[in-house]
Structure formats: C-alpha cells, structure tokens
Amino acid sequence: MPNSALPRAPKISLSLVVTLAATMMLGPFSLDTYLPAFPAIADDLGVSSQAVAVSVSVYVFALAIGQLIGGPLSDKWGRKQVLMAGLVIFALASALLATLHTLPHFLIGRALQAIGAGWVLVSVPALVRDRISGQEAAKLFSFLGLILVVAPGIAPSIGSLLLKIGHWSGIFVFMAIYAVLMIPLLIKIVFSEPPLPRSAETSQGSFIRRYIAVFKNRTALAYIAWQVGAFSVMMVFITHGSFIYQDHFGQSADAFALMFAANIVAMFCCNLINRALLARCFSSLRILQLATMLQGIGLAALTLAAVMQWPVWVFLPAMMITIGAHGALSPNIQACYMEHFGQNSGTAAALLGACQFGGAGVLSALSGLLPHTLLAVVLAMVACGLLAQGFMWRSVWRGKHIEHQ
C-alpha cells in the first residue's frame, strides 16, 4: 500500500464523523424515501409503478456523472466549494420535483437532483482520505457506514409518514430542507478549520490527466469491479423492492417499509461485526472476502426460496443476509481502494462512485427488461453477485500465491 505524503490530523472528532455521515445520508434519503410513494406518484403522473421505477435508474446514472465531474473539481477547487454547490443544486432540484406532474419532467428533475448529490457524496471519501489513512481509515469508513445504514432503514418510514399527512410532493420538500440545513452544519463543523495543504500534483492538471493517474494503479481498479458487482445486488433489490413485497407478496406500504428496514438492521449488525473484527486487527481485505462469501450464501438461499415459492416470512431472512452483507462490504472496499491514493483522492473517489452507481444503474436497468416475476429479479441479483464472487476468489488465489513465493 502506498504511503501518502500529505500531512494528516492524528484524530478526528466524533462531531466531524457524525456530520460527514449525515452528509452521506443524502444519498440513501434521495433513493429510498420516495419508494413507498411509487403507486401514488404513478397515479398522479398517469403511468405505471414500473415506469416510475425507471426514475431509480435515471437517478443512479446521473449520480455517476455528477461524481465524475465533482471529483476532479474538488481536487482542483477544494472540497468546500464543490460540496456546497452540490447541496444547492440538490435542494433546488428537490423543490422543483415537488411541482412536476409529467413523467419526462419528473425524470429530468431526478437527474438534476442526482448531479447535485454526486458532487456531495464524492467529497466525503476525499475528505476522509485528506485526513487519515491505513487501518484507521478502515475504522473510520466503518464508523461512517454504521451511522449511514440508519438512513435507508428510516427513509421509507419517513416517506410513508409524509404520505399519510400530505401529498407525495412533501417527500421532495423534505429532501430540499434536509440539504439546506446541512450547509451551515458543514461550515461550522467540517470547514471551520483551515483546509489541509495539498501537493502540487493534486493542485494542477486537467480532468483527463487526473483520471489517467488513477487508471495507472491497476491493483486498485480491481476493487472498483468488486464494488460494482456487490452494490448492484442491492440496487436490483431497491429497484424491484416495491414489486417484490407490495405486488408479489401483497404487503401494504407500511409492511413494505418494515420489511425494507429489516435489511437495514442486518446491515447494521454486519457493520458492528466488521468494526469488532477491525479492532482485533483483521485486515480489511480478509473481512471483505468473508462478507462477499456471506452475500453469496444469501443469494443461494434467495434462489431456493423463489424456486420453491416459499412465503414472505421465509423469503425475508434470505434477503436480509444478502443485503445485510453490504454493511461490511462497502466500508472495506472503500478503505482498500482509497489507500492507494494519497494524491487525486477526489478523482479516485469519483471513479469508484461513478463506476459503482453507473455499473449498478446499467445492471438494474437491464433487470427491468426481464419478465416481471420474483424468480427473474432474484436471478438478476445472482448474476450481479457472481461478479463480486469472481473478484473475491481472485483475491484469495492471489493471496495464497504470494504466500507460496
């Protein structure tokens, strides 16, 4: 692993960690809060719920583009400028979405919202890498993830509550208010100290040169493909979660919110286990391998449940294992990957985020072309999981090969 030449603060305050986690919650809130509102949005726009589900893929694609642009800008102009601009774009787009009444306009609004979110989300891993590295970075990413998994759990419940007291547009008003409130909080806690000095290598160069520098590190690139496969499993579920529980299993919007939250509880538990293993000096790579195996076990159980047409109370635990594994997958992939980039960390984070959301967006969109059945959705998740499994076994083989040399 390369050592960074950048100066780093020895400790990071709890308030800073919580603020960074709250900033990253913008992503899950914008993805998951409006999921229970799919039927209501579809009725209002005069389309099917499946057509509204396309907005998930549109959001993911635009999020990838936003990160690809925002990452190099944060290396060049600074984290604060890009992060604040992203929050403003997100807030304005969210307010606009609350006023739209046609599907094409709704999709455009979601794309604008995602670009702003991309600028915000890509800044957080870079801010972490600016301050800390190594095993400490892995612990910090895990702690961020521990707080972050709360957002997808409560987001659908917030959406259901807002639907009960008003129109679905209130969900997007909530998103706009959240983004606006984050601005003074970030200024006070994250950017109250002078920015860390950056080397000449990170302050000069075009977009293309920055990405070329990142692409030259081929060892780090393997983690990108690993993340695409693992994250796509969850994205396919998010895209079709409403169909699985509300249409196929006939559950209500409230029951869907609870079942969705059950997956977050599983992610929370896996993240706690991840932190315990890191504290016992397990390497991030080893934990990453174990988490990928756990996801594979969950996918096998899901396939069996779909084929045998088991009831929802049997299907749910298998889905919890599959999605829960991501609580240990994501922080360790980020830690292993970002450790390779002492310079151009914003660009590196942009590439990981863009490939993660872009690749997952393509795969989840393609899953929409399959027959609208539970087995088809599960097999799409399995296909995505096989990509992660391939890189997991590749890393195991490489480790054994190095030990034998």
Side-chain angles (χ1 to χ4, degrees):
M1 296 287 184
N3 293 322
S4 171
L6 301 179
R8 305 196 183 283
K11 293 183 179 180
I12 294 183
S13 66
L14 178 61
S15 61
L16 177 61
V17 174
V18 172
T19 302
L20 292 176
T23 305
M24 292 195 71
M25 281 184 180
L26 202 72
F29 274 156
S30 55
L31 265 177
D32 303 329
T33 307
Y34 84 128
L35 293 181
F38 272 19
I41 296 174
D43 289 342
D44 213 23
L45 301 184
V47 296
S48 66
S49 294
Q50 193 170 1
V52 175
V54 174
S55 65
V56 175
S57 298
V58 170
Y59 181 90
V60 169
F61 285 132
L63 188 68
I65 294 172
Q67 291 186 76
L68 285 174
I69 297 171
L73 287 178
S74 72
D75 283 334
K76 186 177 181 63
W77 293 345
R79 316 298 183 210
K80 180 179 180 180
Q81 289 81 350
V82 172
L83 205 163
M84 294 301 163
L87 286 170
V88 171
I89 294 171
F90 182 91
L92 291 175
S94 298
L96 179 64
L97 279 163
T99 67
L100 300 177
H101 300 288
T102 66
L103 181 61
H105 290 157
F106 184 79
L107 297 180
I108 293 173
R110 285 289 283 169
L112 292 174
Q113 187 187 42
I115 290 174
W119 286 31
V120 172
L121 297 182
V122 78
S123 301
V124 177
L127 283 167
V128 173
R129 188 63 181 92
D130 286 345
R131 288 163 169 77
I132 199 168
S133 63
Q135 195 75 353
E136 293 303 313
K139 293 178 182 178
L140 179 53
F141 277 121
S142 182
F143 187 58
L144 284 172
L146 184 62
I147 300 175
L148 185 59
V149 296
V150 174
I154 65 175
S157 298
I158 292 174
S160 295
L161 177 62
L162 292 172
L163 281 175
K164 288 181 179 179
I165 62 178
H167 193 254
W168 60 263
S169 60
I171 295 173
F172 294 98
V173 172
F174 162 77
M175 295 182 194
I177 294 173
Y178 187 91
V180 170
L181 292 178
M182 285 305 305
I183 294 175
L185 188 64
L186 284 163
I187 292 174
K188 180 176 177 58
I189 296 178
V190 178
F191 298 112
S192 58
E193 300 177 358
L196 294 173
R198 290 176 294 172
S199 67
E201 181 180 346
T202 58
S203 61
Q204 298 177 0
S206 65
F207 275 38
I208 295 177
R209 288 182 180 177
R210 293 177 193 277
Y211 278 113
I212 289 176
V214 173
F215 273 110
K216 285 182 179 179
N217 196 324
R218 295 185 179 181
T219 303
L221 295 182
Y223 292 107
I224 294 180
W226 199 333
Q227 177 77 322
V228 168
F231 185 72
S232 296
V233 172
M234 187 166 65
M235 275 305 306
V236 172
F237 166 68
I238 290 174
T239 303
H240 300 280
S242 179
F243 160 75
I244 291 174
Y245 290 120
Q246 292 183 270
D247 294 343
H248 180 82
F249 287 111
Q251 303 297 309
S252 65
D254 289 339
F256 165 65
L258 291 174
M259 291 179 178
F260 194 93
N263 297 302
I264 310 307
V265 172
M267 288 178 63
F268 188 86
C269 293
C270 284
N271 192 281
L272 285 177
I273 295 171
N274 175 54
R275 287 181 53 77
L277 293 176
L278 286 170
R280 288 165 176 75
C281 297
F282 277 72
S283 70
S284 292
L285 178 58
R286 181 58 178 159
I287 300 172
L288 179 55
Q289 293 168 344
L290 294 173
T292 307
M293 291 181 188
L294 180 63
Q295 187 183 67
I297 292 172
L299 288 169
L302 278 179
T303 304
L304 185 60
V307 171
M308 300 299 294
Q309 298 182 0
W310 287 340
V312 66
W313 59 268
V314 180
F315 181 88
L316 181 61
M319 185 64 78
M320 290 174 64
I321 294 173
T322 303
I323 304 302
H326 201 73
L329 280 165
S330 184
N332 287 297
I333 288 179
Q334 276 194 316
C336 291
Y337 172 78
M338 292 299 292
E339 186 64 17
H340 289 270
F341 302 102
Q343 286 80 36
N344 293 316
S345 57
T347 304
L351 185 62
L352 176 63
C355 290
Q356 168 186 332
F357 287 101
V362 170
L363 294 174
S364 64
L366 290 176
S367 71
L369 301 177
L370 297 173
H372 213 47
T373 64
L374 178 63
L375 182 59
V377 172
V378 169
L379 291 179
M381 294 174 66
V382 171
C384 296
L386 288 175
L387 178 60
Q389 295 294 318
F391 279 93
M392 185 273 293
W393 288 111
R394 175 178 176 269
S395 69
V396 171
W397 179 85
R398 288 189 64 184
K400 291 181 178 180
H401 180 70
I402 292 173
E403 288 178 359
H404 292 155
Q405 286 183 335

